[in-house]
Amino acid sequence: IYVGGFTDGSFAAESAGSADVWLAKFDGDGTEVWRRQFGGEGWDRGFDVTAFDGGAYITGYTASVLDPATNRDGFDGFAARFDADGNLEWISQVGTDAADWGQGSSLAPDGGLYFTGYTEGVLGDAHAGRKDAFVVRMSPSGDIIWTRQFGTPELDWPQGVGTTADGGVLLAGSTEGSLGGPNAGLRDAFIASFDTDGNQRFITQFGTTETDSVFEVRAVDGWIVATGSTEGDLGGASGERDGVLVWLDTDGAVVAFDQVGSSGIDDLTGLAVSVNDNVFYSGGTSADLFTTNEGDSDVVLGSATRPADG
């Protein structure tokens, strides 16, 4: 198991600045194998971890110079690769001379990385306005194979990333504009898909008149599934904000919504698919969702049934 994040202190090494990135490895029994910390004088944040056969990547964003060759000043996205023994193989910054933030990641078919975030500059294509979404494919050695940038004149940002059965990439995010269709309200959710060569397959946008978001996305057994939240009615409104599971076919058409909510605030933020293609989600609730609430916010863990299974 690999887990990462950021720290304001000396968590695995002496602090380099205001916040550093850390990455740790645990064995199957939960014993920590190693822990690493890195950063610069600026603010550095680890956001997502993707394991591969022989190590792990950690991605995020930085206000430091982590790699002089790829630093673009200000905030940049970054990706770093560590081997199974905790040795740093490379760090690469991704950005422009404007503000850029790195977010989620997923494994590419060659053992490289799909890396996503949002930019206020021109990273891959023309800048559409305010914040645009981007996705980068990187080789196992850290070279950028291709970059795609897309957005509207409003705010657009991705969060979750998944890999399709044929090695392409899925993105889950939010938009305040009309990205894959007319905007329905304050904020809509979107799912985007690109093939291994960076060709866009689809961008599907959906939402209500209120605020809607998706956080993670995965491909599973002929389906695409995403976790998120809605303040409206996507599949049965329950409270102030509900968690939601969204099911799409492989062409990007929405097939079903599963809305999960209490009388309070509920979010479904995590998503995982087991080796047997079972779908599990996680999140939080502020009220009685599946059982009596124990405090201000409780953890939620559940399993999901695909629409084809009834």
Side-chain angles (χ1 to χ4, degrees):
I1 301 170
Y2 293 92
V3 60
F6 66 101
T7 176
D8 289 340
S10 298
F11 189 54
E14 184 176 353
S15 176
S18 57
D20 290 350
V21 181
W22 63 269
L23 178 69
K25 179 182 179 179
F26 295 80
D27 66 19
D29 296 321
T31 302
E32 185 173 328
V33 179
W34 50 255
R35 190 189 308 181
R36 301 290 183 264
Q37 179 174 340
F38 64 93
E41 295 182 355
W43 201 78
D44 312 295
R45 180 175 183 178
F47 190 89
D48 201 10
V49 176
T50 293
F52 61 91
D53 185 14
Y57 297 96
I58 184 166
T59 58
Y61 46 93
T62 176
S64 303
V65 180
L66 298 180
D67 177 37
T70 55
N71 174 60
R72 295 296 182 268
D73 297 324
F75 275 101
D76 287 346
F78 79 85
R81 178 177 163 123
F82 287 78
D83 67 18
D85 296 320
N87 300 306
L88 175 63
E89 296 186 340
W90 51 259
I91 298 179
S92 182
Q93 292 179 224
V94 177
T96 68
D97 56 3
D100 312 283
W101 292 264
Q103 297 278 101
S105 60
S106 183
L107 198 64
D110 61 351
L113 192 70
Y114 290 118
F115 173 38
T116 191
Y118 48 98
T119 178
E120 294 180 358
V122 180
L123 184 60
D125 300 291
H127 182 65
R130 301 182 73 182
K131 289 181 174 64
D132 287 356
F134 74 79
V135 57
V136 174
R137 180 175 176 182
M138 306 181 76
S139 72
S141 59
D143 297 321
I144 293 178
I145 299 174
W146 51 255
T147 303
R148 298 294 181 265
Q149 179 176 343
F150 58 97
T152 72
E154 307 302 326
L155 294 175
D156 312 284
W157 64 99
Q159 291 194 179
V161 190
T163 304
T164 62
D166 62 357
V169 63
L170 297 165
L171 283 72
S174 301
T175 178
E176 295 182 358
S178 297
L179 183 61
N183 185 274
L186 299 176
R187 179 192 302 165
D188 285 358
F190 76 82
I191 305 293
S193 179
F194 295 82
D195 67 18
T196 55
D197 296 321
N199 300 306
Q200 181 182 305
R201 287 170 164 160
F202 63 80
I203 299 179
T204 300
Q205 179 173 338
F206 52 89
T208 69
T209 56
E210 306 300 326
T211 298
D212 309 283
S213 303
V214 283
F215 304 114
E216 283 293 353
V217 62
R218 297 288 185 270
V220 52
D221 193 26
W223 294 91
I224 297 166
V225 60
T227 50
S229 64
T230 179
E231 294 178 357
D233 185 353
L234 286 174
S238 297
E240 187 174 347
R241 187 170 72 224
D242 291 348
V244 65
L245 283 157
V246 185
W247 297 91
L248 301 88
D249 64 23
T250 54
D251 294 322
V254 175
V255 177
F257 294 104
D258 294 328
Q259 191 162 335
V260 179
S262 65
S263 60
I265 295 175
D266 310 289
D267 295 295
L268 300 186
T269 53
L271 181 64
V273 177
S274 74
V275 293
N276 297 321
D277 287 332
N278 294 313
V279 177
F280 298 92
Y281 61 85
S282 61
T285 179
S286 65
D288 298 346
L289 182 56
F290 300 126
T291 187
T292 303
N293 182 270
E294 297 292 340
D296 290 338
S297 183
D298 285 2
V299 174
V300 172
L301 176 65
S303 62
T305 303
R306 292 183 285 279
D309 296 336

